[in-house]
Amino acid sequence: MNIDNALKESMSIAGALGVALVDYESGMSLGTSGGGDWLNLEVAAAGNTDVVRSKLRVMNALALNDNIEDILITLRRQYHLIRLLDAVGGRSTLFLYLVLDRDQANLALARHYLKRIESDLQV
């Protein structure tokens, strides 16, 4: 699955409002879908790189020998889901950032679908 197809699949998740594929080292989006005037995905994606970097620094400081699957930020009306991508045979610096309408989304299913999309994505 290429980036465009992954973004399209992500937007088909119930309650999806916007999605971005982001490189947390550079803060740049490789692609976005959805969003709009009220949700600037480029700004949100760049800002969430700080969230990922911060968590990785804390894990390093605690000497945790583990990997982040996803990070969930819950708002009153939205879920913001950050899914770090596994790299085949190496380290990836990419994550999928998905914004969901909390009233329409099923968080467990959204996480399941993002995991499936991640496994099929070829970057």
Side-chain angles (χ1 to χ4, degrees), residues 8-27:
K8 184 178 177 181
E9 285 283 320
S10 297
M11 285 302 294
S12 72
I13 295 171
L17 300 172
V19 63
L21 179 64
V22 185
D23 180 337
Y24 67 76
E25 283 190 344
S26 69

Side-chain angles (χ1 to χ4, degrees), residues 7 11 13 39 41 46 51 60 73 83 94 101 105 109 116:
L7 296 174
M11 285 302 294
I13 295 171
L39 176 60
L41 285 168
V51 173
N60 189 46
I73 300 167
R83 173 91 189 166
L94 302 178
D101 180 307
L109 280 176
R116 183 184 52 79

Side-chain angles (χ1 to χ4, degrees), residues 20-71:
L21 179 64
V22 185
D23 180 337
Y24 67 76
E25 283 190 344
S26 69
M28 300 296 293
S29 293
L30 280 69
T32 64
S33 183
D37 293 339
W38 61 272
L39 176 60
N40 184 327
L41 285 168
E42 295 289 337
V43 171
N48 280 303
T49 62
D50 292 334
V51 173
V52 172
R53 290 179 196 149
S54 178
K55 186 58 188 173
L56 290 170
R57 278 192 306 273
V58 170
M59 289 177 62
N60 189 46
L62 295 172
L64 297 177
N65 187 20
D66 209 343
N67 296 315
I68 300 171
E69 282 188 23
D70 50 40
I71 299 170

Side-chain angles (χ1 to χ4, degrees), residues 1-8 21 30-32 94 121-123:
M1 178 182 309
N2 65 25
I3 293 172
D4 289 335
N5 288 341
L7 296 174
K8 184 178 177 181
L21 179 64
L30 280 69
T32 64
L94 302 178
L121 180 59
Q122 301 288 321
V123 180

Side-chain angles (χ1 to χ4, degrees), residues 89-101:
R91 180 178 160 268
S92 175
T93 62
L94 302 178
F95 67 87
L96 280 166
Y97 169 61
L98 178 65
V99 179
L100 299 163
D101 180 307

Side-chain angles (χ1 to χ4, degrees), residues 15 17 74-79 100-106:
L17 300 172
T74 57
L75 307 177
R76 279 187 284 158
R77 293 186 297 261
Q78 297 173 351
Y79 293 123
L100 299 163
D101 180 307
R102 196 168 170 162
D103 290 335
Q104 297 176 8
N106 179 321

